[in-house]
Every structure is written in C-alpha cells, then in structure tokens.
Amino acid sequence: MKKLLCILIFCCSNTLVFAQSVIYVSPQGNDQATGTLKTPVATLDRALSLAQKATTNSPQIQLLPGTHYLKQTIQINAKQWARKSLHISASPDGRATLSGGKRVRLQWQKAGGNLWKAHLDNPTFEQLFVNDQQQVLARYPNYTDTVRVFNGFAADALAPERFKRWSNPTGGFVHAMHAGQWGGFQYRILGKKGDEVQLEGGWQNNRPSAMHNKYRFVENIFEELDAPGEWYFNVAEKTLYFYPPAGLNLAQAKTEISRLKHLIELEGQDDLPLKNIQISGIHFAHAERTFMDQYEPLLRSDWCIYRGAAVLFENTENCSLIDCNFNNLGGNAVFVSLYNLNSTIRGCHFYNIGASAICLVGDTSAVRAVPNRYEKTTPVEKMDYVPGPKNRHYPRQCVIEDNLIHHIGRVEKQVAGIQIQVAAQITIRHNSIYQVPRAAINVGDGAFGGHLIEYNDAFETVLETSDHGAFNSWGRDRYWHFNNRNDMEMALLDAQYTTIIRNNRFRCDHGWDVDLDDGSSNYHIYNNVFLKGGLKLREGYFRVAENNVFVNNSLHPHVWFPNSGDVIQRNVFMRAYFPIGVNDWGKTIDYNFFSNASYLAKARSKGTDSASVAGELLFVDPATADFRLQAGSKAFDIGFENFPMDQFGVQKPALKKIAAQPRIPELLFIADEKTTKEVSWLQAKVKSINGLGERSAYGLPDENGVIVLELSPKSPLAKAGLQKSDVIRKANGEVVTHVEALQLIYEKVLWTGKMSVQLIRNQAELGLVLDLE
C-alpha cells in the first residue's frame, strides 16, 4: 500500500510539472523539487529541463532573489527549443544575479607585513571580488583613479632592474598600448631569460606594432603586491594572498572569484535558427577575462575580436535581452554573432566591463574580396564585382536601444560601447555611452550599411586611445586602398545601404566627435550636436552632412578623393574648416552659417560656400545645452532648421535618473587675430594685454598675456588660486599671446583635466595648476 501511494504521488508530481507554465529557481532550492513557487528548483539547468517538458508552448522561468552561481555555461539551442518560445526573468521580489563566479569561504591568516593569506584549492583565476567590489590583481605601477591611461603606466614596467626582482613571473601579464595608441595589446609572461622577459600574445589588434614605449604595465606578479586592494593567487601552492583595504573585516567579508567566460549561450544552426527566447530583469556578473583567448581579425579594420561574451547570441531570430544589468565582467558583455535577425537589447545597464558592452559581428566569409588585414588588398584581376554579401552569416535588423553604458574597456582597449562589423540595418537608438577608452560606437567596415544611429548621447570618449571619435568608422572595403587607389563605381558594392546618423549629441575631447575614417562611404549625417571635436571626413564617397550644430568647432576634411559626391550644407559652424590634403571639395559645400566673417572668407578662398552667410551666433540657452537658434538668426536664411535638444540618450526612467550628462562647453568665440574686448571664460572676465600702457601697469616685459578682470569663486581659476589683476603669461608651457591663444591651448588640454599656468602677480612670477574636471 505504501509503495502504491508513493507511485501515485510521483505521478501527480510529474503531471504538475508538465502542466506548469512558470518554473521557479532559487539559490536555496532543490533540483529534486517540482519548481513551483513554494518548492523551487536550485539551478537554471534543471528549470530548463522542466520547461522543455511543459505542456505549454511558451514556458517561463523565474529566478528568485539571490545569487545563482553557475557550475557551467547555460546553453539554449535550437534543437531543444524548435517548437517553443521561452522567457527567463527575475522575479519582481528582488535582484536575481546569474554569476559566472564562485563564492569561497576562506580562513585568513597573517602572511607578514600588510599581507594576509588563505588556502584555496582552485584552478587559476583572474578576478577577485570582496563585498561585491572588484579588487586589483597585483600590478606595477599601482592602480590609481587619477591617471587616465591604464589607471597607471610606467615606461620601466619591463626594465631588467624591475623584473630581476621577480622570482617566478610565469603567468604574469603585460598590458601595453599600440605604438600609435590605436588600441591595446596583452601578453602572457612565459618566464625570463637573461635580460629579457619571454612573452606570448599581441594578437588582440589587427594593426601590428611594437608596444608603446611608455603606456604599459604588468600584473599578476607576486613581488608587485604592495598596495591596499591588491591580491595574488599562487596556483602551485594553492594560496591566495591579499592586501586588504583599510577597515575591511576579512573574517566577515564575502569573497567571490571569477570562473566561467560565458554565462548564457543562445545558439542555433545555420539551417535551424534559435527563435523567440527572451531574457529580462537579470543581473549578470563575475565572468572571467578573455584577452588571452583566440582572437580573429575583422577584415581590414584595426580590430581583432574574441567572439564571445557573458551572453552570446549566435544564429538566432527574435531573441532579446530586456532590462538586464551587466557588471563586473572580464570580457565582452553581449555578443551578437553570425546570423541574427531582429535581436533586441533594450533597457539594460552595462558598467565595469572588461571589454566591449555590445558587439554585433558577422562572419568575414560573408564579405566578398576583402582580405583580413589593413595593408592587404585584392588585385584587380581577382576582384569579385558582385554587390552585397556572399552568405547570410551576419546580424541584420537588430535594435539596440535605451541602454546605459559606461566604464567599459577596463582591461582591453580595442573596444566600444557598441561595436558593429559585417552587419546590416542595425538600429542604435537612445543610448547613453560614456567613460570609454575608445569610441562609444564603432562601425568597422561598410559591409553592409543601412544602420540608423539616432538620439544617442556619447561623451567622455577616446579617453585612453588616440585618433578616433565618439562615433568612429572605417570603410576599407573592396574599392579602398591605403595608397589611395580607389574606384567610385565600387564604393557601394559593400556599403549598399545608407547609414544615417541623426539627432545625436556627441562629445570627444581627445579626437573628433564623429570620425568617418579611411574610406567610410554612404552616410547621411544630420540634426546632430557636436560638442567638442567636430566632424572628420576622411576619403570616401557619398557623405551628406547637413543641419548640424558645431559648438566651438567645424568640419575636418582629410585627403578627399576627387569627385567624392560629398555634400556639406545648412550647418552652423563656430570655426573655419580644417582641411588636410583636400584639392577637390566634393559635390556641394555651401549654404552654411559661420559665426565669424573671417571663417567664411577662408572657406570662400578655397572655392566653397559662395551662398553661405556669417553673423552673430544666437543660441537659445547654451548653458543648459539648448543649442537651438533664436528667432532672427541669419542661419535660418540658408535653410537651417532647429531640432529638439531634450531627447538625447537613455529614456528609461530608472536609468535616466542615474545617467551622467556631458560637460557643456563654454562658448569660445575665437577670432583669427588679437581682440581687445572683454571675454567670458571659465566663469571669469578676461582680456588681452593691449598697448604699452597696460604692459607698463602690470610690469610686463612685452605685450603678451591675458588679464583676469573678474572671476567667480566657482571659477576653476579662482579655485586654483588666481586673483583679480593676475596676468596669465603661459599655459601648458605655451606662450599666451592673447585671449584667443589661451582659449586654443585650453581646448587642446581639456581632455587631460589639468592645465598649468604661469602668471605675473604684483610683478612677481607664480605657477599654478587649473583643475578642469
């Protein structure tokens, strides 16, 4: 009788499982349970198994609050889910974290000096978290928030006098910038031999070069464990060493280590895509670093890339990530790989990411006649002239919108907030992206265009690399040659569809706001606010830039092709153009507005802008970032139209509330020659020294310099110690001849956050440093 009763209970339980539409998972659950709210299972793997058996065609899995440590990567494939949709979500009761790491409970003991140690029977790992805060793998030089590149760098990181101190550096890492600062490299230390460290690596960049001779550091070296927050794991001794920050109670601290490189993989096959999987509301954390894994070159762009992430989409249709949170990840956060149709990533928050936040990258086999290195070209006799892709192994019609992305590229520097390569018709909308070492949005080639990039707010970009923009692109496609062999008829074979960049706000203090580099073609750029770096258009074809506002800057045309078909019209410029090697000025460069008549005269001297106008610049309220023009502005005479200034960036209320805002520039009305009028600058009134009388009054050896007439206590000048009647004679080591020269020096050094000044006060010299942050 007891046996029969047990059989009946088992059958009823199974019937319940098959009928369930929602399966619950709890860190305190039991995989032998039925998966109800009262009896949740313990693992997502078990929940997926139950969901496959459910009678409904659209089962749901809810993760209950807590940290769900994954023992292995969750793989959801098309064969298992060919006839069902699936929704995996966090319950509304609290945060559910999917962790690629592992919690470890340690018995700490003193190890001498400031170090503590604990036994840890574990394979090697590269990330340590204590009380949810990432700690620093032992390094030289030490980590500091005040240094922009690598948070600390040293030219002598690999000097013999340094590494001779290392007893066993095998397994250490070297991080270095590209010699041209176009990206970064990573190397593993294999050992040392005489006066050399033996290395392997450097495959993370598609433009080979030596390491930068200054921007480099080493990590995972025991002898460099010398600062609070640093740690080192001796895998042979199974001992974790730690220099705890002040005030940390190790006995009560929660300690976690990284383990898995991928947390969830959504995978279909070429002939059987995975369809209709939605993941929402989940926090992803603790994925391992990947920079020493296999990287593949991406055509002729500067990029090699690791094709993986905490969440991987590969060969999918209608799959989505909604309202998720990604942080403390060692590599990429999300990778949309190969064929993907209608993928959506919306309302997510990405921060403290080791590499890129979101990558959409097809297979290079889809692109015709384009080799996988910058310096290689396809001979004309071997060229494939068929337009468009060879196969369907690339993302298309995907949507990336309403995401907050910041503090990415914490480990790797050849990264982007959003990276697009070998893809078509990708929509990038209403994202806020800042604190990135390189571009906020990067498009690596013209294959196959049609992207819509709108209402984004991108700033604090290109903070560690060089020669890029907040938006950056290349078009090194079939027609392009680095020796400028080009063919206009071939320009649209890969860039088939027009990429639209509209209604965005961009700021780059160390490059261009938008940089269409090497061959970028078939772009329409309109209704954008360029806050700092202006627009660079290097050689390419069929670019239209119209109805944009350039704050304190202008157009930067570089080495244009003859008969490019470019159109520059109805823009508001606050500087003259900055041409380099331009002999042919495209199809139409006209009907623009300049804030200074001399800038217009310069343009006309090159044969452009015969119908353009100059006049007083009347913004509605530049202090609050409203760069619409007031009624009566002469810009309206050439067809300029105002566009909204309050729709940039993330719109989701919870994310918008915490999103940072760009630094709004003070308007710099820079003329070509010395002016004598008072100028407002950095919340101060200043003017150029003018005439022998002022030179004599201030005790100056010549008429160079800028007088401080008035200044607010809030002015960076006042905070640095400048006073009324001080005369600034040098800035950043350069002679300040007049106000305009001072403004230009300020613009050059703004991205560094500091500017040194030498001044004369009461006929005595004084040096001070302005904090520009």
Side-chain angles (χ1 to χ4, degrees):
M1 187 67 181
K2 287 184 179 178
K3 183 176 181 180
L4 178 61
L5 181 61
C6 289
I7 291 172
L8 288 172
I9 291 172
F10 176 79
C11 291
C12 291
S13 296
N14 263 336
T15 302
L16 180 63
V17 168
F18 281 102
Q20 279 177 226
S21 61
V22 182
I23 298 159
Y24 295 89
V25 187
S26 169
Q28 291 77 44
N30 185 333
D31 273 354
Q32 303 307 310
T34 58
T36 66
L37 182 58
K38 291 184 177 180
T39 59
V41 295
T43 66
L44 181 52
D45 263 333
R46 179 58 178 160
L48 287 166
S49 178
L50 295 178
Q52 289 169 31
K53 300 173 185 176
T55 55
T56 176
N57 287 326
S58 53
Q60 300 178 48
I61 296 174
Q62 280 199 12
L63 302 184
L64 296 173
T67 300
H68 300 250
Y69 295 102
L70 299 177
K71 294 183 179 180
Q72 59 190 13
T73 299
I74 299 297
Q75 295 179 322
I76 301 173
N77 64 62
K79 289 183 179 180
Q80 295 170 326
W81 297 93
R83 294 180 177 84
K84 290 185 178 183
S85 64
L86 174 67
H87 183 191
I88 303 173
S89 67
S91 77
D93 300 327
R95 183 155 94 163
T97 297
L98 271 183
S99 171
K102 173 183 177 181
R103 184 165 182 181
V104 292
R105 290 171 170 80
L106 306 171
Q107 299 296 319
W108 292 99
Q109 54 184 317
K110 288 288 288 185
N114 294 306
L115 298 186
W116 291 72
K117 65 180 182 180
H119 177 74
L120 178 56
D121 190 1
N122 202 81
T124 188
F125 58 94
E126 295 176 23
Q127 295 198 102
L128 173 71
F129 307 93
V130 178
N131 292 340
D132 299 318
Q133 298 298 310
Q134 185 173 2
Q135 306 303 304
V136 178
L137 188 53
R139 55 171 280 168
Y140 172 78
N142 291 332
Y143 182 98
T144 173
D145 285 329
T146 60
V147 176
R148 181 175 56 88
V149 178
F150 286 138
N151 293 110
F153 57 85
D156 68 342
L158 288 173
E161 56 269 25
R162 181 125 221 123
F163 70 70
K164 285 179 179 178
R165 302 168 52 246
W166 305 339
S167 59
N168 182 19
T170 302
F173 300 109
V174 179
H175 301 261
M177 281 294 179
H178 188 283
Q181 283 185 260
W182 293 331
F185 298 112
Q186 282 81 26
Y187 301 84
R188 180 184 286 112
I189 298 176
L190 301 178
K192 58 182 182 177
K193 186 176 182 180
D195 286 343
E196 292 185 355
V197 174
Q198 297 174 302
L199 304 174
E200 68 170 357
W203 50 66
Q204 303 87 357
N205 194 297
N206 202 27
R207 292 282 293 275
S209 89
M211 296 185 203
H212 197 282
N213 59 12
K214 180 173 67 172
Y215 295 134
R216 52 176 70 176
F217 77 99
V218 294
E219 66 172 356
N220 201 31
I221 307 289
F222 178 72
E223 286 79 5
E224 303 300 348
L225 204 173
D226 59 358
E230 287 193 346
W231 64 277
Y232 174 82
F233 179 55
N234 188 316
V235 65
E237 297 177 359
K238 299 188 182 301
T239 302
L240 175 63
Y241 294 90
F242 186 41
Y243 187 148
L248 177 67
N249 185 335
L250 277 177
Q252 297 179 4
K254 179 177 72 172
T255 305
E256 296 164 299
I257 61 175
S258 55
R259 202 163 61 88
L260 301 176
K261 295 176 181 178
H262 297 187
L263 277 61
I264 291 184
E265 295 176 345
L266 306 181
E267 288 189 298
Q269 288 78 48
D270 184 31
D271 57 348
L272 183 64
L274 175 65
K275 300 181 181 181
N276 305 320
I277 307 295
Q278 179 175 320
I279 300 172
S280 65
I282 293 174
H283 174 216
F284 295 90
H286 308 147
E288 184 58 286
R289 305 194 303 185
T290 58
F291 58 77
M292 290 306 299
D293 284 52
Q294 180 179 354
Y295 277 60
E296 65 179 86
L298 293 179
L299 301 178
R300 299 169 74 194
S301 80
D302 288 2
W303 284 58
C304 290
I305 203 162
Y306 171 74
R307 194 176 287 275
V311 177
L312 174 68
F313 287 40
E314 192 161 280
N315 296 318
T316 73
E317 293 182 3
N318 302 314
C319 292
S320 59
L321 282 167
I322 309 295
D323 298 335
C324 291
N325 186 296
F326 296 81
N327 84 313
N328 286 339
L329 302 175
N332 302 316
V334 178
F335 205 110
V336 181
S337 174
L338 307 183
Y339 170 76
N340 288 272
L341 176 66
N342 293 333
S343 300
T344 300
I345 301 170
R346 179 187 299 121
C348 296
H349 187 187
F350 300 84
Y351 59 103
N352 195 24
I353 306 298
S356 295
I358 303 170
C359 300
L360 302 104
V361 182
D363 193 281
T364 57
S365 69
V367 186
R368 301 173 187 273
V370 181
N372 275 341
R373 282 287 286 274
Y374 167 84
E375 70 275 13
K376 294 183 179 181
T377 58
T378 301
V380 173
E381 63 272 14
K382 295 184 178 179
M383 185 64 69
D384 183 342
Y385 289 92
V386 177
K390 289 174 65 177
N391 57 48
R392 72 172 197 165
H393 301 159
Y394 60 92
R396 80 288 305 273
Q397 297 171 25
C398 300
V399 177
I400 313 299
E401 68 176 343
D402 215 11
N403 300 290
L404 176 58
I405 301 170
H406 59 96
H407 293 87
I408 67 159
R410 309 301 280 173
V411 179
E412 302 177 47
K413 305 306 173 184
Q414 195 80 344
V415 299
I418 301 170
Q419 162 71 353
I420 301 172
Q421 188 118 28
V422 190
Q425 299 168 314
I426 307 299
T427 295
I428 311 293
R429 176 190 295 134
H430 279 304
N431 301 284
S432 291
I433 309 173
Y434 53 90
Q435 276 291 324
V436 296
R438 205 173 179 285
I441 302 170
N442 189 81
V443 176
D445 51 45
F448 300 98
H451 312 307
L452 175 59
I453 297 162
E454 62 179 0
Y455 297 106
N456 299 288
D457 201 9
F459 54 96
E460 295 178 23
T461 60
V462 193
L463 295 178
E464 298 181 63
T465 64
S466 182
D467 195 14
H468 309 300
F471 174 90
N472 191 84
S473 70
W474 296 291
R476 300 167 186 158
D477 305 324
R478 274 178 268 186
Y479 82 94
W480 185 87
H481 192 280
F482 59 92
N483 287 329
N484 281 353
R485 185 200 79 203
N486 62 88
D487 188 338
M488 184 177 186
E489 299 302 317
M490 294 175 61
L492 302 184
L493 291 180
D494 292 310
Q496 288 190 292
Y497 311 109
T498 301
T499 290
I500 295 173
I501 302 176
R502 68 185 181 193
N503 295 102
N504 302 281
R505 184 168 62 184
F506 295 113
R507 176 164 185 153
C508 180
D509 288 3
H510 194 204
W512 295 273
D513 294 336
V514 169
D515 181 358
L516 268 59
D517 209 357
D518 294 353
S520 299
S521 297
N522 202 5
Y523 278 80
H524 190 186
I525 303 168
Y526 64 95
N527 289 8
N528 300 284
V529 176
F530 298 98
L531 284 178
K532 176 62 169 65
L535 169 65
K536 171 188 163 188
L537 298 180
R538 197 175 163 90
E539 79 276 353
Y541 290 105
F542 311 118
R543 285 85 58 91
V544 178
E546 58 184 343
N547 214 75
N548 302 288
V549 174
F550 292 76
V551 179
N552 297 334
N553 215 307
S554 189
L555 171 70
H556 296 251
H558 291 187
V559 291
W560 281 9
F561 290 144
N563 304 312
S564 66
D566 290 340
V567 175
I568 311 296
Q569 63 186 11
R570 298 190 300 110
N571 299 286
V572 172
F573 294 118
M574 289 185 66
R575 298 288 303 280
Y577 301 147
F578 295 86
I580 297 176
V582 177
N583 299 311
D584 186 301
W585 282 82
K587 181 179 179 180
T588 303
I589 314 293
D590 210 348
Y591 299 97
N592 296 297
F593 173 88
F594 292 87
S595 63
N596 186 289
S598 67
Y599 302 156
L600 176 56
K602 274 191 172 182
R604 287 177 174 170
S605 73
K606 302 293 185 181
T608 69
D609 292 281
S610 61
S612 296
V613 300
E616 184 179 2
L617 190 57
L618 301 170
F619 289 130
V620 170
D621 190 0
T624 62
D626 189 345
F627 293 102
R628 292 175 300 162
L629 297 183
Q630 298 178 26
S633 170
K634 290 186 70 174
F636 298 126
D637 295 345
I638 48 87
F640 179 84
E641 297 178 358
N642 279 326
F643 53 93
M645 296 283 167
D646 58 355
Q647 298 177 22
F648 306 120
V650 66
Q651 301 297 297
K652 179 181 173 181
L655 296 180
K656 189 172 184 178
K657 183 178 180 180
I658 62 174
Q661 296 295 312
R663 185 202 308 257
I664 304 304
E666 188 170 351
L667 300 185
L668 304 178
F669 294 98
I670 302 171
D672 293 330
E673 62 283 326
K674 180 174 181 177
T675 59
T676 58
K677 65 181 182 180
E678 296 179 8
V679 174
S680 294
W681 181 66
L682 295 182
Q683 301 181 63
K685 291 284 188 183
V686 298
K687 72 177 289 292
S688 303
I689 291 290
N690 183 43
L692 183 60
E694 288 185 344
R695 171 185 168 182
S696 175
Y698 291 97
L700 306 178
D702 51 44
E703 292 185 32
N704 291 330
V706 169
I707 314 165
V708 179
L709 300 174
E710 299 176 14
L711 71 170
S712 162
K714 296 181 180 180
S715 169
L717 280 69
K719 291 179 180 179
L722 275 80
Q723 300 174 7
K724 182 178 178 180
S725 298
D726 285 347
V727 179
I728 300 172
R729 295 276 293 170
K730 285 186 177 181
N732 201 42
E734 297 185 42
V735 174
V736 174
T737 53
H738 46 71
V739 166
E740 292 74 22
L742 179 60
Q743 291 176 319
L744 288 171
I745 295 168
Y746 164 77
E747 284 292 291
K748 285 193 292 185
V749 303
L750 178 57
W751 62 271
T752 68
K754 305 286 183 183
M755 185 171 76
S756 62
V757 294
Q758 287 180 274
L759 54 94
I760 288 182
R761 177 185 299 166
N762 299 325
Q763 301 189 18
E765 293 186 355
L766 183 64
L768 297 171
V769 176
L770 277 63
D771 187 347
L772 305 178
E773 294 292 346

